[in-house]
Amino acid sequence: MTSTTTLTDRSLLWGRNDLEPAPEFFHLVIAWSREEPHRVGEAALVDARCVLGRGGPQSQDSAPRLAFHRQRPVGWAMMPPLEGPRISRLQLELTPTEDGLLAVRSIGRCPLLINGAPATQGLVKAGDTLTLHNALVLFVVRRRWSLEVIQALKETPRFSFGDADPHGIVGESPAVWALRGALAFAAQSGNHVLVRGESGAGKELAARAIHALSRRRAGVFVARNAATFPEGLVDAELFGTAKGYPNVGSPERPGLIGEADGGTLFLDEIGELPPHLQAHLLRVLDRDGEYQRLGESRVRRSDLRVIAATNRPLESLKHDFLARFLITVSVPGLPDRREDIPLLLRHLLATAARESPELTERFFERRGERLAEPRIAPALIEALLRHPYTHHLRELERLMWIALGSSHDNFLALTPDLCAVLRPDTGDPKTDPRAGPKTDPGKSIPPQPSDSGSLGRVEIEAALAEAQGSVTTAARLLGLKNRFALYRLMKRHGIAGPDEEASEG
């Protein structure tokens, strides 16, 4: 007689269709807040018609009120209602449309800007910004309603929301949490790892995290850019040389392989190493780690893990060399994690401030002895969110230093020097800030001049404030033909221009 075992539902998880991607929904992520800067990075799900405003639910709410959360793979924490005197109790009405856009309508007193342009209603997509003038900047994204549980992360994160983790990685986006999971898995595997990512994305930071999370963390981390190996001396650099080689009296050199024994060897830009030189590493990449120093006949063994990084296509690597790297980790660039840009900027500013007390006094608030949030203009955050990055973290840091060097007040501003190097993202726009009708998602919308008769005092003043008083820039934001059209509107509404303000002062 045979016994049968009843399988539990949990043991049948392989029956799930994991090939079908989980549905994604619109979320609004706080990118800047005047009254509550500590809330940057929080997200609110928009899966049906809802309203956004200050405080808790109101009797006059026409739909459920938007609630912000701090999303992490271990769960999400609901946060208090938005606060701030500039935000109306009923400020925005939001409705997902059937064609994959998000309809936005301003119903409060705080002027609304969509992608930097004044608006009362519009259709937005992922990657657009919604700004409540001088109060709040929201970034539109599409993501799952909850972050996927990461099995490789065994412990609850112990770092504060929005701060750098113990390995220096900053971000709360799904892309960054997926990266943290991939790094933890790679560290636990013990195999050689290939790290892929564009220049400036943070490949070395990822490699250091793998080392710190692994059982080799007590060993050395040896880093070298493979593109800097002197031609003809690659073997000597990697494997070392015996005493007296190549010349009598030459000292013994352990080489990078010997130095990394018991630890990790990180070879950056490995794709720059010619294929015939990649072949020299095949034997040491095998399980036994065998190699020979130049000038020696005996075989040595090195207990090391190799982490290589490249921004080149996999085809640039020799096929049997690539096969030795059983784990591949892809580091996302900033276009894949734009909602992290405000957090990254805050982290970079804090790092710069620690090295320069002058920056601390000028650009940071203080609460007692503690350094608080940096003072950043909302227009700068909007511009950085829309910039098409090619060098990622390195480029963001460069833009930050341009802003630091050209800001004349006690806050980081969107200065002319910075505008000269910033480029608006030229993706496929699906937003018409001046119109309410639905837009075909497959068609881009060419810039159209505004109907000057529909522009009121509020929209004009908001554009002038966003342009920091520049009439030419404000006219462009409003979609007017030139600055003279804006001057006529300013005169009609009794708004003082720069010249008039100077004469009155």
Side-chain angles (χ1 to χ4, degrees):
M1 183 175 180
T2 59
S3 62
T4 58
T5 302
T6 302
L7 297 178
T8 64
D9 290 341
R10 183 170 179 79
S11 67
L12 297 176
L13 290 178
W14 59 75
R16 297 180 312 184
N17 183 9
D18 289 334
L19 296 178
E20 185 176 336
E24 294 184 336
F25 304 94
F26 278 114
H27 284 73
L28 300 184
V29 179
I30 298 177
W32 180 90
S33 172
R34 181 187 178 100
E35 303 294 335
E36 301 176 292
H38 59 281
R39 300 190 62 170
V40 169
E42 293 178 12
L45 170 67
V46 186
D47 61 344
R49 184 168 172 265
C50 59
V51 295
L52 178 145
R54 170 169 50 90
Q58 306 290 313
S59 59
Q60 65 269 37
D61 287 354
S62 59
R65 186 159 285 242
L66 209 60
F68 284 87
H69 305 84
R70 292 185 170 182
Q71 294 179 313
R72 282 187 162 178
V74 294
W76 47 264
M78 181 175 289
M79 304 307 293
L82 293 175
E83 295 298 339
R86 292 172 176 78
I87 303 174
S88 298
R89 294 192 181 276
L90 274 175
Q91 182 63 59
L92 296 179
E93 188 179 80
L94 305 141
T95 309
T97 67
E98 294 180 355
D99 50 5
L101 300 177
L102 182 63
V104 182
R105 186 167 71 93
S106 178
I107 54 177
R109 68 176 184 277
C110 188
L112 169 67
L113 297 95
I114 298 179
N115 292 334
T120 55
Q121 60 182 347
L123 295 170
V124 299
K125 66 182 187 309
D128 289 336
T129 57
L130 302 175
T131 300
L132 299 179
H133 183 56
N134 279 340
L136 190 69
V137 177
L138 299 168
F139 187 63
V140 184
V141 300
R142 288 189 70 92
R143 58 168 68 163
R144 298 178 182 183
W145 72 272
S146 64
L147 299 187
E148 188 173 357
V149 175
I150 299 173
Q151 300 293 343
L153 294 177
K154 297 179 179 179
E155 298 180 353
T156 301
R158 297 181 181 178
F159 57 97
S160 300
F161 185 86
D163 288 348
D165 66 18
H167 313 296
I169 298 172
V170 178
E172 299 289 346
S173 64
V176 167
W177 278 106
L179 172 63
R180 289 188 176 111
L183 296 176
F185 176 76
Q188 293 163 17
S189 74
N191 295 305
H192 302 306
V193 182
L194 179 66
V195 179
R196 302 188 66 200
E198 295 184 5
S199 178
K203 296 187 291 295
E204 182 169 348
L205 193 64
R208 290 183 180 275
I210 293 172
H211 174 73
L213 288 165
S214 73
R215 292 184 293 273
R216 298 177 179 272
R217 66 177 69 90
V220 294
F221 181 89
V222 179
R224 182 66 185 271
N225 190 319
T228 65
F229 286 139
E231 192 165 348
L233 298 177
V234 175
D235 283 352
E237 292 286 323
L238 287 170
F239 306 119
T241 57
K243 185 177 181 180
Y245 183 91
N247 301 310
V248 176
S250 297
E252 179 184 38
R253 295 180 57 205
L256 296 173
I257 301 295
E259 287 180 29
D261 188 23
T264 301
L265 173 60
F266 173 59
L267 295 175
D268 198 4
E269 304 293 349
I270 195 65
E272 303 304 318
L273 200 64
H276 71 278
L277 294 177
Q278 294 174 20
H280 293 198
L281 282 165
L282 296 182
R283 194 167 184 82
V284 78
L285 287 172
D286 286 333
R287 290 290 182 184
D288 292 336
E290 292 183 353
Y291 73 103
Q292 285 179 283
R293 287 182 182 174
L294 300 187
E296 272 187 357
S297 58
R298 73 184 182 96
V299 174
R300 293 176 178 264
R301 285 183 171 82
S302 180
D303 175 24
L304 85 165
R305 162 190 263 172
V306 175
I307 302 177
T310 184
N311 58 8
R312 299 186 64 180
L314 293 180
E315 293 74 21
S316 66
L317 300 178
K318 197 171 185 293
H319 68 92
D320 49 355
F321 176 74
L322 176 61
R324 262 70 172 183
F325 294 91
L326 301 183
I327 305 291
T328 300
V329 173
S330 295
V331 179
L334 288 188
D336 298 317
R337 47 178 298 209
R338 288 187 182 274
E339 60 263 50
D340 290 327
I341 289 174
L343 296 174
L344 288 162
L345 178 62
R346 185 177 72 184
H347 175 73
L348 291 170
L349 281 169
T351 301
R354 282 194 294 270
E355 300 173 359
S356 173
E358 294 80 8
L359 295 179
T360 303
E361 294 300 322
R362 185 175 170 193
F363 294 108
F364 280 79
E365 298 283 352
R366 279 195 176 276
R367 295 191 180 98
E369 295 298 319
R370 187 171 64 87
L371 197 66
E373 304 290 338
R375 292 185 288 266
I376 306 173
L380 174 59
I381 293 294
E382 289 184 74
L384 293 177
L385 286 169
R386 293 198 296 270
H387 180 67
Y389 294 87
T390 55
H391 290 85
H392 309 285
L393 300 176
R394 197 173 294 130
E395 185 175 357
L396 178 62
E397 186 172 18
R398 174 176 170 267
L399 296 173
M400 177 196 75
W401 280 104
I402 293 173
L404 285 170
S406 56
S407 294
H408 300 299
D409 294 304
N410 64 347
F411 63 91
L412 211 60
L414 181 61
T415 65
D417 287 356
L418 189 58
C419 289
V421 297
L422 284 171
R423 307 182 306 281
D425 195 345
T426 56
D428 182 21
K430 300 178 181 65
T431 304
D432 184 353
R434 294 168 294 278
K438 294 179 180 178
T439 308
D440 184 351
K443 297 180 180 178
S444 62
I445 301 173
Q448 299 176 2
S450 286
D451 177 7
S452 60
S454 67
L455 292 173
R457 183 185 183 95
V458 171
E459 288 85 357
I460 295 170
E461 288 180 337
L464 286 168
E466 194 72 17
Q468 300 180 4
S470 169
V471 176
T472 301
T473 303
R476 187 167 61 250
L477 290 174
L478 292 167
L480 297 172
K481 293 181 179 179
N482 51 48
R483 69 180 188 276
F484 302 108
L486 180 53
Y487 274 124
R488 288 193 292 270
L489 286 172
M490 291 166 64
K491 185 175 182 180
R492 180 190 307 170
H493 291 287
I495 301 172
D499 293 340
E500 295 173 80
E501 290 173 353
S503 62
E504 289 174 6

